[in-house]
Amino acid sequence: MVRINVVTLFPDSFTAALGSSIVGRAAAAGLVRFRIVQLRDYTHDKHHTVDDAPYGGGAGMVLKPEPFFEAVEDLKAKPPIVVLSARGQLFTHELAVRYSLGSELTLLCGHYKDIDNRVVDGLGAEEVSIGDFVLTGGEPAALCVVDAVVRLLPSALGDHESASSDSHYEGLLAPPSYTRPPSYRGLEVPDVLLSGDHDKIAAWRAAEAERLTRERRPDIWKKLDA
Ligand SMILES: C[S@@+](CC[C@H](N)C(=O)[O-])C[C@H]1O[C@@H](n2cnc3c(N)ncnc32)[C@H](O)[C@@H]1O
């Protein structure tokens, strides 16, 4: 069982996503346990202030360090502590695998202009980005991480589903998929997939995976080639 903690100003963002589909099923089966905590619960003033103006000036508000420290301490969270951040290392399949192999994962969601950097330094946190763009808050990023991690947990996917044939699992992008009908609006399913010849199908899929990776992700292709 993996315990996943999320510290957020918007716990409601997680309710539907963590209760449905594969992630919801995994939680119901006891493979993962979620603790979603409200950052404001760790403030001590009457206005529950979580942010303040940035030192040095500039636009936007910065989330204060104290509530994050107190939330993590209250959760008795073990590493890894992850701060979702546009300046973090890119979230990849390798990182999802590492997190899925641990017993606990704690995700800290930022909002507004930034999080006080002492949260990262003082909690020994890893900064993780889900892509080279800027979100309003860390919640959608945390949901991406949770989803990618939970589907890798043993038994999280049903018999008819498999992570091992997905993109990135073996390094390559996955080949395209088709289902019935064989012909739709003049669009045909490749003949080989209808042939019943499993060797030919496997060879076609391997070739398509290589072609797509080479064409669409030369960065990945170069790494694999090396
Ligand atoms: C408006 S953003 C802050 C962006 C920050 N000022 C910067 O330039 O890097 C607010 C919060 O959204 C989250 N966030 C934004 N983009 C993200 C990304 N690409 N990956 C992960 N989290 C992100 C972080 O938690 C961040 O603290």
Side-chain angles (χ1 to χ4, degrees), residues 84-95:
L84 282 318
S85 165
R87 68 171 80 84
Q89 66 167 310
L90 210 54
F91 184 60
T92 57
H93 175 71
E94 285 73 26
L95 214 43

Side-chain angles (χ1 to χ4, degrees), residues 13-14 84 109-111 130 133 135-146:
S13 315
F14 295 86
L84 282 318
C109 301
H111 226 87
I130 61 157
F133 45 80
L135 298 163
T136 309
E139 287 74 16
L143 281 170
C144 288
V145 172
V146 168

Side-chain angles (χ1 to χ4, degrees), residues 5-7 68 72 77-85 88-89 91 95 98-99 104-110 115 119-120 123-129 141-142 145:
N5 309 310
V6 182
V7 180
F68 282 108
V72 168
K78 290 189 289 193
I81 312 278
V82 172
V83 170
L84 282 318
S85 165
Q89 66 167 310
F91 184 60
L95 214 43
R98 172 153 75 82
Y99 294 156
E104 186 160 359
L105 172 66
T106 299
L107 303 169
L108 309 183
C109 301
I115 300 179
V119 173
V120 171
L123 293 174
E126 308 176 7
E127 287 183 279
V128 169
S129 166
V145 172

Side-chain angles (χ1 to χ4, degrees), residues 60-64 85 87 110-116 127:
M61 298 294 271
V62 176
L63 290 176
K64 294 159 67 60
S85 165
R87 68 171 80 84
H111 226 87
Y112 313 125
K113 182 66 184 169
D114 219 336
I115 300 179
D116 188 302
E127 287 183 279

Side-chain angles (χ1 to χ4, degrees), residues 66-82:
E66 308 94 309
F68 282 108
F69 276 78
E70 290 184 32
V72 168
E73 279 158 15
D74 193 34
L75 287 162
K76 298 184 176 51
K78 290 189 289 193
I81 312 278
V82 172

